[in-house]
């Protein structure tokens, strides 16, 4: 088994199509097909189910995909470590961001990181926290900023299958409403009052606050557009609740679910990802919300995949 074959296999698995994978790899489709067939013969297992419309992984293929990504990531890390010794960091770091997370502290850390390592390419993407954690686990992401219920931290020690999750800070919830809404002139809203409200949430949100979710939005800006139009209210982290025309942010009283901002990464990172991870952890205490307690030493945790925003 060669690294080239693993690279070919991962490309087909991700594209679900031989032609697209061949274009991505800049090789002939016949060469790609021959490479996959050779790999299947070596392993004694069929890796793909092929039909006229698409290519799907078999159970054996899904098992190999996790290990193939890890192997390729290890090789990349080795190359980047040598490059770092010879003259500065190079490479690519993929970072996932939970939709509801305020990215101000991340951007500050990225600015410092880029000035120190201008040859490292950083790729940013958004998704729900659970999906981001999956992508860290299977090697598609090097780092991810997650927002998950704080209750997931209690008593959790193992189960993340090679993913380390570091708590950064707690996040309190606030209610976003339009200027004409009945909450708009109040200083606080009780948790139970949300049960009578129409809500806007992220796709796949857990509806932790009651009420009817009638609208879904992929990002905070669109969510606040829905709120400003008077169509629904939203429950968001306090750090995300910043000045926005046509939107009022009101404290949520009672005992709402508490969220935790967390940083997830593989137990083993390549040199570039490790440097960015260090920069993010160093800037964690500067991320700041008005309700943040004094910094305390907090453990690294290994978490299973769970719900998140």
């Amino acid at each position: 088994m060669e690294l080239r074959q693993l690279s070919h296999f991962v490309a087909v698995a991700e594209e679900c199509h031989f032609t697209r994978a061949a274009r991505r790899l800049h090789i002939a489709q016949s060469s790609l097909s021959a490479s996959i067939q050779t790999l299947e013969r070596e392993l004694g297992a069929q890796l793909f189910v092929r039909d006229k419309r698409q290519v799907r992984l078999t159970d054996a293929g899904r098992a190999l995909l996790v290990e193939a990504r890890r192997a390729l990531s290890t090789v990349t890390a080795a190359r980047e470590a040598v490059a770092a010794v010879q003259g500065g960091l190079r490479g690519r770091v993929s970072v996932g961001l939970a939709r509801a997370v305020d990215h101000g502290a991340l951007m500050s850390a990225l600015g410092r990181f880029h000035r120190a390592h201008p040859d490292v390419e950083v790729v940013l993407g958004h998704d729900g926290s659970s999906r981001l954690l999956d992508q860290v686990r299977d090697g598609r992401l090097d780092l991810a900023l997650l927002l998950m219920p704080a209750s997931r931290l209690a008593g959790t020690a193992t189960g993340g299958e090679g993913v380390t999750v570091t708590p950064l800070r707690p996040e309190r919830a606030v209610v976003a409403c339009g200027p004409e809404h009945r909450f708009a002139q109040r200083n606080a809203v009780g948790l139970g009052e949300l049960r009578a409200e129409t809500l806007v949430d992220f796709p796949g949100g857990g509806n932790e606050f009651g009420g009817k979710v009638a609208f879904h939005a992929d990002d905070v800006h669109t969510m606040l557009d829905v709120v400003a139009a008077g169509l629904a209210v939203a429950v968001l982290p306090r750090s995300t609740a910043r000045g926005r025309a046509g939107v009022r942010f009101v404290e949520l009283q009672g005992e709402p679910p508490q969220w935790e901002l967390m940083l997830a990464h593989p137990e083993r990172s390549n040199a570039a990802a490790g440097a960015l991870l260090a920069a993010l952890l160093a800037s964690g205490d500067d991320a700041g919300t008005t309700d943040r307690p004094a910094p305390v030493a907090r453990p690294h945790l290994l978490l299973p995949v769970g719900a998140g925003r």
Side-chain angles (χ1 to χ4, degrees), residues 153-255:
L153 299 178
T156 304
T158 60
E161 298 185 23
V163 177
T164 298
V165 179
T166 304
L168 298 179
R169 69 168 188 256
E171 288 277 4
R172 290 180 57 186
V174 296
V175 177
C177 63
E180 305 301 323
H181 193 276
R182 66 189 181 101
F183 296 158
Q185 303 307 315
R186 295 169 52 179
N187 294 322
V189 173
L191 180 61
E193 296 181 82
L194 293 178
R195 297 191 184 98
E197 294 297 321
T198 299
L199 302 178
V200 54
D201 201 354
F202 297 105
N207 191 14
E208 306 160 74
F209 306 97
K212 176 185 178 182
V213 178
F215 300 91
H216 292 91
D218 264 337
D219 60 85
V220 172
H221 296 295
T222 304
M223 183 177 288
L224 293 180
D225 285 341
V226 174
V227 170
L231 300 174
V233 300
V235 182
L236 293 168
R238 176 185 266 184
S239 62
T240 309
R242 303 212 174 157
R244 169 68 158 76
V247 177
R248 174 77 194 279
F249 297 99
V250 185
E251 293 290 331
L252 185 58
Q253 291 184 333
E255 296 185 2

Side-chain angles (χ1 to χ4, degrees), residues 91-95 106 110 113-114 117 120-124 276:
R92 180 173 182 162
V93 182
S94 297
V95 182
L106 170 64
L110 279 178
F113 176 81
H114 179 66
H117 309 291
V120 176
E121 180 183 4
V122 179
V123 181
L124 304 174
L276 179 54

Side-chain angles (χ1 to χ4, degrees), residues 7-307:
S7 177
H8 292 175
F9 164 73
V10 170
V12 176
E14 292 179 346
E15 298 292 341
C16 297
H17 200 278
F18 273 85
T19 302
R20 289 195 298 268
R23 284 199 296 262
R24 167 175 156 180
L25 294 165
H26 305 291
I27 63 175
Q29 182 175 336
S30 58
S31 298
L32 177 59
S33 297
S35 176
I36 297 299
Q37 289 170 1
T38 300
L39 181 60
E40 288 178 323
R41 284 196 300 271
E42 289 181 6
L43 294 174
Q46 184 178 357
L47 301 175
F48 297 102
V49 176
R50 303 162 175 84
D51 58 38
K52 294 181 178 179
R53 293 187 175 181
Q54 65 175 350
V55 175
R56 292 179 288 109
L57 285 167
T58 63
D59 289 342
R62 281 189 287 271
L64 177 61
L65 182 58
V66 174
E67 300 303 326
R69 282 173 169 155
R70 287 177 180 169
L72 293 172
S73 178
T74 299
V75 172
T76 299
R79 289 172 176 163
E80 291 176 357
V82 173
V85 172
Q86 292 180 327
L89 284 180
R90 291 177 175 81
R92 180 173 182 162
V93 182
S94 297
V95 182
L97 309 172
R99 298 184 183 99
V101 169
D102 172 60
H103 302 145
L106 170 64
M107 293 303 131
S108 297
L110 279 178
R112 293 191 294 272
F113 176 81
H114 179 66
R115 288 189 291 273
H117 309 291
D119 294 325
V120 176
E121 180 183 4
V122 179
V123 181
L124 304 174
H126 292 85
D127 211 329
S129 291
S130 295
R131 290 173 61 88
L132 292 175
L133 194 49
D134 278 337
Q135 291 170 47
V136 174
R137 290 176 65 210
D138 64 21
R140 284 176 286 169
L141 288 176
D142 297 302
L143 300 168
L145 274 175
L146 314 176
L147 190 67
M148 303 179 74
S151 59
R152 300 290 302 183
L153 299 178
T156 304
T158 60
E161 298 185 23
V163 177
T164 298
V165 179
T166 304
L168 298 179
R169 69 168 188 256
E171 288 277 4
R172 290 180 57 186
V174 296
V175 177
C177 63
E180 305 301 323
H181 193 276
R182 66 189 181 101
F183 296 158
Q185 303 307 315
R186 295 169 52 179
N187 294 322
V189 173
L191 180 61
E193 296 181 82
L194 293 178
R195 297 191 184 98
E197 294 297 321
T198 299
L199 302 178
V200 54
D201 201 354
F202 297 105
N207 191 14
E208 306 160 74
F209 306 97
K212 176 185 178 182
V213 178
F215 300 91
H216 292 91
D218 264 337
D219 60 85
V220 172
H221 296 295
T222 304
M223 183 177 288
L224 293 180
D225 285 341
V226 174
V227 170
L231 300 174
V233 300
V235 182
L236 293 168
R238 176 185 266 184
S239 62
T240 309
R242 303 212 174 157
R244 169 68 158 76
V247 177
R248 174 77 194 279
F249 297 99
V250 185
E251 293 290 331
L252 185 58
Q253 291 184 333
E255 296 185 2
Q258 297 295 304
W259 297 316
E260 187 83 18
L261 181 66
M262 306 183 227
L263 183 60
H265 59 92
E267 290 180 5
R268 295 181 180 179
S269 298
N270 61 52
L276 179 54
L277 172 65
L280 288 170
L281 292 175
S283 67
D285 288 341
D286 300 326
T289 60
T290 57
D291 57 339
R292 180 176 174 149
V296 295
R298 311 191 72 177
H300 296 309
L301 302 176
L302 296 179
L303 295 185
V305 175

